[in-house]
Amino acid sequence: MKENNKNIVLYSAKKNGFLASYKDKGSIAFTATFDPRLWKALQLPIEPYEKQKAGIDKLAEVFDCEVLIVEAEYNVTKLDGSDFERTEREESMEDRIGALLNLLTN
């Protein structure tokens, strides 16, 4: 199975790293953590980014970052090397009871 993903990350050349976390400290103060390893970076799929582009771009500006697209391709195989295909999970009795309880409590 092959899978392609496009994600958005924020990179700061001054910090020599990717935005790994940030926290709003109230008012207009933030703390941010940067990490040189891409896999530690906060990532956002491209579709949600496009919906909130203005806000993410402003966040990048606040942290003095540039917005980058990371495109990754994954090849998923079984341990024996054969192809892996996702199978649809059948709804269980537990799922049905959970849905009923959710319906009754709302």
Side-chain angles (χ1 to χ4, degrees):
M1 175 177 90
K2 286 192 177 195
E3 187 173 316
N4 291 329
N5 293 326
K6 280 188 179 181
N7 291 316
I8 297 297
V9 297
L10 302 181
Y11 178 77
S12 172
K14 288 182 182 177
K15 304 278 187 184
N16 192 28
F18 299 94
L19 182 64
S21 67
Y22 70 93
K23 184 174 182 173
D24 180 0
K25 294 177 79 176
S27 302
I28 52 174
F30 291 92
T31 57
T33 305
F34 291 87
D35 196 295
R37 297 167 292 187
L38 178 59
W39 64 273
K40 289 274 201 167
L42 291 177
Q43 297 186 28
L44 180 67
I46 194 108
E47 296 82 16
Y49 166 74
E50 289 171 349
K51 291 179 183 173
Q52 47 188 326
K53 183 180 182 335
I56 301 291
D57 289 351
K58 287 180 185 174
L59 186 67
E61 188 178 331
V62 166
F63 292 131
D64 197 21
C65 292
E66 58 183 311
V67 178
L68 303 176
I69 296 174
V70 175
E71 188 170 352
E73 179 178 287
Y74 302 95
N75 293 316
V76 182
T77 59
K78 294 181 181 181
L79 288 175
D80 65 5
S82 63
D83 286 339
F84 168 77
E85 293 295 326
R86 283 184 200 222
T87 54
E88 291 294 320
R89 182 174 146 320
E90 290 185 30
E91 187 178 40
S92 68
M93 183 60 78
E94 184 178 322
D95 293 335
R96 292 182 195 148
I97 291 171
L100 178 62
L101 290 174
N102 191 24
L103 207 117
L104 293 173
T105 56
N106 290 330

